[in-house]
Amino acid sequence: MRAFQTTLLAAALCLLALAGCQRADTVHRTRGHVFGTAVEISIYGGAPERADSLSGAVLNEFDRLHHKYHAWQPSMLTSLNDAIARGEPFTADAEMVALLQSATVVAERSGNLFNPAIGRLIRLWGFQSSDIAPQAPPAQEIRRWLDARPRLADLRYQGNTISSTNKAVMIDLGGYAKGYALDRAAQILRQGGVKAALVNVGGNVLAIGQPGERPWRVGIQDPRAAGAVAQVNLRDNEAMGTSGDYQRYFLKDGKRHPHIIDPRSGYPIDLVASVTIVTSGGTDAGLRSDGNSKPLFITGPAGWEAMAARMGLAEVMLIDAQGTVHTTPAMRSRLAASREAKGGAHPALIAVRESK
């Protein structure tokens, strides 16, 4: 399994970032590993010492969030889940309450296809582990948790105290916390006076300003090969998020089982290889780039366009399990503009299929 596939995208980001800069030595890059994936902070301009200090502050913040919202190692989140299972209230803090409430909005908008409350199903399939191994959960166990119908809407709040009307709720923010981390990184870097930076958390990317005269250029990972299938220009306060079946998955009986589970069936999705979306504006572009891609992945080739409209997403690329690439008109325009800005056609874009 290519468990560390995101390092390929990180490398692509480094190379592509240099192409948008006037001088390679003006980009200061710091790499790390958190949230179970590769992270990278690229800061354009300024003294190396300042870049190192701010990058260190960002990595420290990532580490804090990693330990606070970890889904299976002891954390504030696991303490909340334990309290819910016992039918007891839990005193969290304002940050956790705000994050869960924002996730609830996304869940409701998606018809609960984005559903971080199905942690027990995620655990049942073996994805709450650093070492993923093939699983074959009993159908009756899957049905048990489906019938329990856990939802974030089951949570109740009284100040910072959280309770649940449903003991089956087990929250897993693996599809949401990375986006929040991007927004926290942007806040730290902007407060530090950074005018241009690119932050990558496992393939979720957020841009600040631009390096020199050209925007940041990032690659969309090819889900079945090394390198990028396309390139995208990102400008200030734009974020790009990708959900794929190639980072956390296992193969069993010749079939790929990715970590993204359909909350309607209880089984992993096998119709989609990756979904990439671009979000922009506000202080939560990173958060939206993470959670909003999941419902499109789950609806798949037949329903992703309707779901994109429902979620208010204009720029989407979906690569299905057969390798066909689908795009919205707005994403198609962005890809064309990025290609023209580079100069000449990008051969990897030939397979892009236009969607109405």
mmCIF file of all heavy atoms in Angstrom, residues 59-97:
data_model
loop_
_atom_site.group_PDB
_atom_site.id
_atom_site.type_symbol
_atom_site.label_atom_id
_atom_site.label_comp_id
_atom_site.label_asym_id
_atom_site.label_seq_id
_atom_site.Cartn_x
_atom_site.Cartn_y
_atom_site.Cartn_z
ATOM 1 N N LEU A 59 3.943 24.242 13.330
ATOM 2 C CA LEU A 59 4.074 22.817 13.630
ATOM 3 C C LEU A 59 3.655 22.516 15.065
ATOM 4 O O LEU A 59 3.046 21.468 15.338
ATOM 5 C CB LEU A 59 5.508 22.357 13.386
ATOM 6 C CG LEU A 59 5.956 22.297 11.920
ATOM 7 C CD1 LEU A 59 7.420 21.893 11.823
ATOM 8 C CD2 LEU A 59 5.089 21.331 11.113
ATOM 9 N N ASN A 60 3.970 23.415 15.978
ATOM 10 C CA ASN A 60 3.535 23.230 17.370
ATOM 11 C C ASN A 60 2.007 23.245 17.464
ATOM 12 O O ASN A 60 1.408 22.480 18.232
ATOM 13 C CB ASN A 60 4.122 24.319 18.265
ATOM 14 C CG ASN A 60 5.598 24.116 18.537
ATOM 15 O OD1 ASN A 60 6.112 23.006 18.411
ATOM 16 N ND2 ASN A 60 6.291 25.181 18.905
ATOM 17 N N GLU A 61 1.386 24.138 16.690
ATOM 18 C CA GLU A 61 -0.072 24.187 16.688
ATOM 19 C C GLU A 61 -0.660 22.909 16.090
ATOM 20 O O GLU A 61 -1.656 22.368 16.594
ATOM 21 C CB GLU A 61 -0.553 25.408 15.899
ATOM 22 C CG GLU A 61 -2.052 25.532 15.754
ATOM 23 C CD GLU A 61 -2.790 25.782 17.070
ATOM 24 O OE1 GLU A 61 -2.142 25.822 18.133
ATOM 25 O OE2 GLU A 61 -4.019 25.929 17.028
ATOM 26 N N PHE A 62 -0.050 22.420 15.031
ATOM 27 C CA PHE A 62 -0.505 21.154 14.444
ATOM 28 C C PHE A 62 -0.404 20.023 15.463
ATOM 29 O O PHE A 62 -1.304 19.183 15.572
ATOM 30 C CB PHE A 62 0.342 20.802 13.217
ATOM 31 C CG PHE A 62 0.062 21.643 11.999
ATOM 32 C CD1 PHE A 62 0.865 21.533 10.873
ATOM 33 C CD2 PHE A 62 -0.999 22.535 11.974
ATOM 34 C CE1 PHE A 62 0.603 22.285 9.744
ATOM 35 C CE2 PHE A 62 -1.263 23.302 10.846
ATOM 36 C CZ PHE A 62 -0.453 23.178 9.728
ATOM 37 N N ASP A 63 0.687 20.008 16.213
ATOM 38 C CA ASP A 63 0.882 18.965 17.218
ATOM 39 C C ASP A 63 -0.195 19.060 18.312
ATOM 40 O O ASP A 63 -0.725 18.045 18.767
ATOM 41 C CB ASP A 63 2.281 19.074 17.820
ATOM 42 C CG ASP A 63 2.630 17.892 18.704
ATOM 43 O OD1 ASP A 63 2.691 16.763 18.187
ATOM 44 O OD2 ASP A 63 2.820 18.105 19.920
ATOM 45 N N ARG A 64 -0.519 20.290 18.697
ATOM 46 C CA ARG A 64 -1.574 20.483 19.711
ATOM 47 C C ARG A 64 -2.910 19.931 19.210
ATOM 48 O O ARG A 64 -3.603 19.195 19.923
ATOM 49 C CB ARG A 64 -1.713 21.973 20.031
ATOM 50 C CG ARG A 64 -2.802 22.276 21.073
ATOM 51 C CD ARG A 64 -3.004 23.765 21.254
ATOM 52 N NE ARG A 64 -3.742 24.359 20.144
ATOM 53 C CZ ARG A 64 -5.074 24.384 20.039
ATOM 54 N NH1 ARG A 64 -5.821 23.807 20.978
ATOM 55 N NH2 ARG A 64 -5.655 24.966 19.011
ATOM 56 N N LEU A 65 -3.255 20.282 17.978
ATOM 57 C CA LEU A 65 -4.526 19.822 17.419
ATOM 58 C C LEU A 65 -4.537 18.309 17.237
ATOM 59 O O LEU A 65 -5.565 17.649 17.467
ATOM 60 C CB LEU A 65 -4.787 20.519 16.085
ATOM 61 C CG LEU A 65 -4.986 22.035 16.154
ATOM 62 C CD1 LEU A 65 -5.067 22.631 14.756
ATOM 63 C CD2 LEU A 65 -6.227 22.385 16.960
ATOM 64 N N HIS A 66 -3.401 17.762 16.817
ATOM 65 C CA HIS A 66 -3.293 16.316 16.638
ATOM 66 C C HIS A 66 -3.607 15.582 17.935
ATOM 67 O O HIS A 66 -4.372 14.602 17.943
ATOM 68 C CB HIS A 66 -1.877 15.976 16.160
ATOM 69 C CG HIS A 66 -1.572 14.512 16.111
ATOM 70 N ND1 HIS A 66 -2.046 13.676 15.128
ATOM 71 C CD2 HIS A 66 -0.837 13.720 16.942
ATOM 72 C CE1 HIS A 66 -1.623 12.433 15.354
ATOM 73 N NE2 HIS A 66 -0.885 12.444 16.439
ATOM 74 N N HIS A 67 -3.042 16.045 19.029
ATOM 75 C CA HIS A 67 -3.250 15.371 20.309
ATOM 76 C C HIS A 67 -4.614 15.678 20.923
ATOM 77 O O HIS A 67 -5.148 14.877 21.697
ATOM 78 C CB HIS A 67 -2.135 15.755 21.290
ATOM 79 C CG HIS A 67 -0.825 15.108 20.977
ATOM 80 N ND1 HIS A 67 0.147 15.713 20.210
ATOM 81 C CD2 HIS A 67 -0.332 13.882 21.300
ATOM 82 C CE1 HIS A 67 1.184 14.903 20.083
ATOM 83 N NE2 HIS A 67 0.917 13.783 20.725
ATOM 84 N N LYS A 68 -5.202 16.786 20.562
ATOM 85 C CA LYS A 68 -6.518 17.134 21.101
ATOM 86 C C LYS A 68 -7.632 16.370 20.411
ATOM 87 O O LYS A 68 -8.612 15.960 21.053
ATOM 88 C CB LYS A 68 -6.755 18.640 20.957
ATOM 89 C CG LYS A 68 -8.090 19.109 21.530
ATOM 90 C CD LYS A 68 -8.191 20.627 21.493
ATOM 91 C CE LYS A 68 -9.470 21.113 22.122
ATOM 92 N NZ LYS A 68 -9.553 22.595 22.175
ATOM 93 N N TYR A 69 -7.504 16.167 19.093
ATOM 94 C CA TYR A 69 -8.594 15.578 18.314
ATOM 95 C C TYR A 69 -8.274 14.187 17.777
ATOM 96 O O TYR A 69 -8.941 13.723 16.853
ATOM 97 C CB TYR A 69 -8.956 16.514 17.148
ATOM 98 C CG TYR A 69 -9.500 17.840 17.625
ATOM 99 C CD1 TYR A 69 -8.783 19.019 17.426
ATOM 100 C CD2 TYR A 69 -10.709 17.921 18.298
ATOM 101 C CE1 TYR A 69 -9.266 20.239 17.875
ATOM 102 C CE2 TYR A 69 -11.208 19.127 18.750
ATOM 103 C CZ TYR A 69 -10.480 20.288 18.537
ATOM 104 O OH TYR A 69 -10.967 21.496 18.990
ATOM 105 N N HIS A 70 -7.286 13.526 18.371
ATOM 106 C CA HIS A 70 -6.960 12.175 17.919
ATOM 107 C C HIS A 70 -8.142 11.248 18.176
ATOM 108 O O HIS A 70 -8.773 11.295 19.230
ATOM 109 C CB HIS A 70 -5.717 11.649 18.643
ATOM 110 C CG HIS A 70 -4.990 10.590 17.878
ATOM 111 N ND1 HIS A 70 -5.500 9.325 17.697
ATOM 112 C CD2 HIS A 70 -3.787 10.599 17.235
ATOM 113 C CE1 HIS A 70 -4.644 8.605 16.984
ATOM 114 N NE2 HIS A 70 -3.609 9.355 16.689
ATOM 115 N N ALA A 71 -8.440 10.397 17.194
ATOM 116 C CA ALA A 71 -9.659 9.591 17.263
ATOM 117 C C ALA A 71 -9.521 8.311 18.072
ATOM 118 O O ALA A 71 -10.535 7.741 18.487
ATOM 119 C CB ALA A 71 -10.145 9.246 15.848
ATOM 120 N N TRP A 72 -8.290 7.826 18.298
ATOM 121 C CA TRP A 72 -8.176 6.573 19.044
ATOM 122 C C TRP A 72 -7.094 6.585 20.111
ATOM 123 O O TRP A 72 -7.148 5.804 21.042
ATOM 124 C CB TRP A 72 -7.986 5.385 18.108
ATOM 125 C CG TRP A 72 -6.729 5.374 17.297
ATOM 126 C CD1 TRP A 72 -5.518 4.841 17.665
ATOM 127 C CD2 TRP A 72 -6.536 5.902 15.976
ATOM 128 N NE1 TRP A 72 -4.591 4.997 16.654
ATOM 129 C CE2 TRP A 72 -5.193 5.637 15.606
ATOM 130 C CE3 TRP A 72 -7.359 6.558 15.074
ATOM 131 C CZ2 TRP A 72 -4.676 6.035 14.365
ATOM 132 C CZ3 TRP A 72 -6.843 6.939 13.841
ATOM 133 C CH2 TRP A 72 -5.522 6.676 13.501
ATOM 134 N N GLN A 73 -6.140 7.473 20.037
ATOM 135 C CA GLN A 73 -5.215 7.629 21.150
ATOM 136 C C GLN A 73 -5.814 8.614 22.143
ATOM 137 O O GLN A 73 -6.612 9.473 21.769
ATOM 138 C CB GLN A 73 -3.864 8.116 20.640
ATOM 139 C CG GLN A 73 -3.144 7.109 19.758
ATOM 140 C CD GLN A 73 -1.821 7.626 19.225
ATOM 141 O OE1 GLN A 73 -1.420 8.747 19.516
ATOM 142 N NE2 GLN A 73 -1.152 6.822 18.425
ATOM 143 N N PRO A 74 -5.452 8.504 23.445
ATOM 144 C CA PRO A 74 -6.081 9.352 24.467
ATOM 145 C C PRO A 74 -6.035 10.839 24.097
ATOM 146 O O PRO A 74 -4.975 11.389 23.804
ATOM 147 C CB PRO A 74 -5.248 9.054 25.709
ATOM 148 C CG PRO A 74 -4.759 7.657 25.501
ATOM 149 C CD PRO A 74 -4.479 7.559 24.017
ATOM 150 N N SER A 75 -7.175 11.479 24.089
ATOM 151 C CA SER A 75 -7.297 12.880 23.684
ATOM 152 C C SER A 75 -8.580 13.448 24.272
ATOM 153 O O SER A 75 -9.386 12.718 24.866
ATOM 154 C CB SER A 75 -7.335 12.983 22.158
ATOM 155 O OG SER A 75 -8.517 12.383 21.649
ATOM 156 N N MET A 76 -8.790 14.738 24.085
ATOM 157 C CA MET A 76 -10.060 15.318 24.503
ATOM 158 C C MET A 76 -11.214 14.685 23.734
ATOM 159 O O MET A 76 -12.298 14.463 24.280
ATOM 160 C CB MET A 76 -10.060 16.836 24.312
ATOM 161 C CG MET A 76 -11.351 17.496 24.791
ATOM 162 S SD MET A 76 -11.414 19.294 24.547
ATOM 163 C CE MET A 76 -10.277 19.815 25.857
ATOM 164 N N LEU A 77 -10.968 14.352 22.462
ATOM 165 C CA LEU A 77 -12.024 13.745 21.653
ATOM 166 C C LEU A 77 -12.370 12.347 22.146
ATOM 167 O O LEU A 77 -13.555 11.992 22.230
ATOM 168 C CB LEU A 77 -11.604 13.702 20.185
ATOM 169 C CG LEU A 77 -12.660 13.184 19.212
ATOM 170 C CD1 LEU A 77 -13.890 14.089 19.223
ATOM 171 C CD2 LEU A 77 -12.096 13.080 17.797
ATOM 172 N N THR A 78 -11.372 11.532 22.464
ATOM 173 C CA THR A 78 -11.686 10.185 22.963
ATOM 174 C C THR A 78 -12.377 10.258 24.325
ATOM 175 O O THR A 78 -13.235 9.425 24.627
ATOM 176 C CB THR A 78 -10.427 9.309 23.064
ATOM 177 O OG1 THR A 78 -9.481 9.906 23.955
ATOM 178 C CG2 THR A 78 -9.783 9.110 21.690
ATOM 179 N N SER A 79 -12.021 11.258 25.125
ATOM 180 C CA SER A 79 -12.711 11.433 26.410
ATOM 181 C C SER A 79 -14.176 11.785 26.195
ATOM 182 O O SER A 79 -15.065 11.298 26.912
ATOM 183 C CB SER A 79 -12.026 12.524 27.236
ATOM 184 O OG SER A 79 -10.711 12.139 27.595
ATOM 185 N N LEU A 80 -14.442 12.634 25.198
ATOM 186 C CA LEU A 80 -15.826 12.951 24.856
ATOM 187 C C LEU A 80 -16.559 11.703 24.396
ATOM 188 O O LEU A 80 -17.700 11.436 24.826
ATOM 189 C CB LEU A 80 -15.857 14.021 23.768
ATOM 190 C CG LEU A 80 -17.211 14.283 23.096
ATOM 191 C CD1 LEU A 80 -18.242 14.763 24.112
ATOM 192 C CD2 LEU A 80 -17.061 15.280 21.958
ATOM 193 N N ASN A 81 -15.938 10.930 23.513
ATOM 194 C CA ASN A 81 -16.585 9.713 23.020
ATOM 195 C C ASN A 81 -16.862 8.717 24.133
ATOM 196 O O ASN A 81 -17.916 8.060 24.147
ATOM 197 C CB ASN A 81 -15.714 9.067 21.939
ATOM 198 C CG ASN A 81 -15.764 9.814 20.618
ATOM 199 O OD1 ASN A 81 -16.751 10.452 20.296
ATOM 200 N ND2 ASN A 81 -14.689 9.733 19.849
ATOM 201 N N ASP A 82 -15.934 8.601 25.075
ATOM 202 C CA ASP A 82 -16.143 7.694 26.207
ATOM 203 C C ASP A 82 -17.335 8.147 27.053
ATOM 204 O O ASP A 82 -18.143 7.324 27.507
ATOM 205 C CB ASP A 82 -14.884 7.629 27.066
ATOM 206 C CG ASP A 82 -13.732 6.908 26.386
ATOM 207 O OD1 ASP A 82 -13.981 6.203 25.385
ATOM 208 O OD2 ASP A 82 -12.585 7.059 26.851
ATOM 209 N N ALA A 83 -17.444 9.460 27.256
ATOM 210 C CA ALA A 83 -18.557 9.993 28.042
ATOM 211 C C ALA A 83 -19.887 9.750 27.329
ATOM 212 O O ALA A 83 -20.892 9.381 27.956
ATOM 213 C CB ALA A 83 -18.350 11.482 28.298
ATOM 214 N N ILE A 84 -19.892 9.936 26.010
ATOM 215 C CA ILE A 84 -21.116 9.687 25.239
ATOM 216 C C ILE A 84 -21.536 8.228 25.370
ATOM 217 O O ILE A 84 -22.730 7.924 25.561
ATOM 218 C CB ILE A 84 -20.895 10.055 23.759
ATOM 219 C CG1 ILE A 84 -20.786 11.579 23.599
ATOM 220 C CG2 ILE A 84 -22.032 9.513 22.886
ATOM 221 C CD1 ILE A 84 -20.386 12.032 22.210
ATOM 222 N N ALA A 85 -20.578 7.306 25.285
ATOM 223 C CA ALA A 85 -20.887 5.871 25.397
ATOM 224 C C ALA A 85 -21.468 5.527 26.759
ATOM 225 O O ALA A 85 -22.277 4.594 26.885
ATOM 226 C CB ALA A 85 -19.633 5.048 25.129
ATOM 227 N N ARG A 86 -21.060 6.277 27.789
ATOM 228 C CA ARG A 86 -21.587 6.041 29.144
ATOM 229 C C ARG A 86 -22.898 6.779 29.374
ATOM 230 O O ARG A 86 -23.527 6.616 30.428
ATOM 231 C CB ARG A 86 -20.561 6.494 30.186
ATOM 232 C CG ARG A 86 -19.263 5.701 30.201
ATOM 233 C CD ARG A 86 -18.450 6.042 31.448
ATOM 234 N NE ARG A 86 -18.134 7.465 31.529
ATOM 235 C CZ ARG A 86 -17.022 8.037 31.066
ATOM 236 N NH1 ARG A 86 -16.104 7.272 30.466
ATOM 237 N NH2 ARG A 86 -16.813 9.335 31.192
ATOM 238 N N GLY A 87 -23.289 7.621 28.436
ATOM 239 C CA GLY A 87 -24.500 8.405 28.613
ATOM 240 C C GLY A 87 -24.310 9.573 29.551
ATOM 241 O O GLY A 87 -25.279 10.046 30.169
ATOM 242 N N GLU A 88 -23.069 10.073 29.633
ATOM 243 C CA GLU A 88 -22.755 11.167 30.552
ATOM 244 C C GLU A 88 -22.375 12.429 29.785
ATOM 245 O O GLU A 88 -21.858 12.356 28.665
ATOM 246 C CB GLU A 88 -21.586 10.761 31.459
ATOM 247 C CG GLU A 88 -21.866 9.542 32.320
ATOM 248 C CD GLU A 88 -20.627 9.073 33.082
ATOM 249 O OE1 GLU A 88 -19.547 9.678 32.896
ATOM 250 O OE2 GLU A 88 -20.747 8.099 33.841
ATOM 251 N N PRO A 89 -22.589 13.604 30.378
ATOM 252 C CA PRO A 89 -22.139 14.853 29.748
ATOM 253 C C PRO A 89 -20.629 14.995 29.868
ATOM 254 O O PRO A 89 -19.999 14.370 30.733
ATOM 255 C CB PRO A 89 -22.873 15.936 30.549
ATOM 256 C CG PRO A 89 -23.095 15.314 31.891
ATOM 257 C CD PRO A 89 -23.317 13.846 31.628
ATOM 258 N N PHE A 90 -20.061 15.814 29.003
ATOM 259 C CA PHE A 90 -18.612 16.030 28.998
ATOM 260 C C PHE A 90 -18.337 17.523 28.884
ATOM 261 O O PHE A 90 -18.930 18.201 28.038
ATOM 262 C CB PHE A 90 -17.960 15.292 27.828
ATOM 263 C CG PHE A 90 -16.476 15.518 27.707
ATOM 264 C CD1 PHE A 90 -15.593 14.824 28.514
ATOM 265 C CD2 PHE A 90 -15.967 16.433 26.798
ATOM 266 C CE1 PHE A 90 -14.222 15.029 28.420
ATOM 267 C CE2 PHE A 90 -14.605 16.646 26.687
ATOM 268 C CZ PHE A 90 -13.726 15.947 27.506
ATOM 269 N N THR A 91 -17.443 18.020 29.713
ATOM 270 C CA THR A 91 -17.057 19.429 29.656
ATOM 271 C C THR A 91 -15.863 19.573 28.722
ATOM 272 O O THR A 91 -14.762 19.118 29.028
ATOM 273 C CB THR A 91 -16.710 19.976 31.049
ATOM 274 O OG1 THR A 91 -17.852 19.828 31.894
ATOM 275 C CG2 THR A 91 -16.352 21.455 30.954
ATOM 276 N N ALA A 92 -16.096 20.185 27.573
ATOM 277 C CA ALA A 92 -15.052 20.393 26.582
ATOM 278 C C ALA A 92 -14.530 21.818 26.709
ATOM 279 O O ALA A 92 -14.343 22.309 27.811
ATOM 280 C CB ALA A 92 -15.616 20.139 25.187
ATOM 281 N N ASP A 93 -14.259 22.483 25.608
ATOM 282 C CA ASP A 93 -13.894 23.895 25.624
ATOM 283 C C ASP A 93 -14.549 24.558 24.417
ATOM 284 O O ASP A 93 -15.172 23.895 23.575
ATOM 285 C CB ASP A 93 -12.374 24.105 25.638
ATOM 286 C CG ASP A 93 -11.656 23.511 24.429
ATOM 287 O OD1 ASP A 93 -12.319 23.187 23.416
ATOM 288 O OD2 ASP A 93 -10.410 23.380 24.478
ATOM 289 N N ALA A 94 -14.416 25.878 24.351
ATOM 290 C CA ALA A 94 -15.108 26.630 23.297
ATOM 291 C C ALA A 94 -14.623 26.229 21.903
ATOM 292 O O ALA A 94 -15.415 26.192 20.948
ATOM 293 C CB ALA A 94 -14.912 28.127 23.519
ATOM 294 N N GLU A 95 -13.335 25.902 21.776
ATOM 295 C CA GLU A 95 -12.803 25.524 20.464
ATOM 296 C C GLU A 95 -13.446 24.241 19.967
ATOM 297 O O GLU A 95 -13.879 24.152 18.806
ATOM 298 C CB GLU A 95 -11.290 25.363 20.534
ATOM 299 C CG GLU A 95 -10.660 24.976 19.189
ATOM 300 C CD GLU A 95 -9.169 24.702 19.292
ATOM 301 O OE1 GLU A 95 -8.772 23.899 20.172
ATOM 302 O OE2 GLU A 95 -8.413 25.272 18.489
ATOM 303 N N MET A 96 -13.515 23.225 20.825
ATOM 304 C CA MET A 96 -14.116 21.962 20.406
ATOM 305 C C MET A 96 -15.597 22.135 20.091
ATOM 306 O O MET A 96 -16.089 21.593 19.081
ATOM 307 C CB MET A 96 -13.932 20.890 21.484
ATOM 308 C CG MET A 96 -14.663 19.583 21.158
ATOM 309 S SD MET A 96 -14.348 18.255 22.323
ATOM 310 C CE MET A 96 -12.854 17.542 21.627
ATOM 311 N N VAL A 97 -16.300 22.874 20.904
ATOM 312 C CA VAL A 97 -17.724 23.102 20.664
ATOM 313 C C VAL A 97 -17.931 23.767 19.304
ATOM 314 O O VAL A 97 -18.783 23.347 18.507
ATOM 315 C CB VAL A 97 -18.343 23.945 21.788
ATOM 316 C CG1 VAL A 97 -19.725 24.437 21.399
ATOM 317 C CG2 VAL A 97 -18.418 23.138 23.079
#
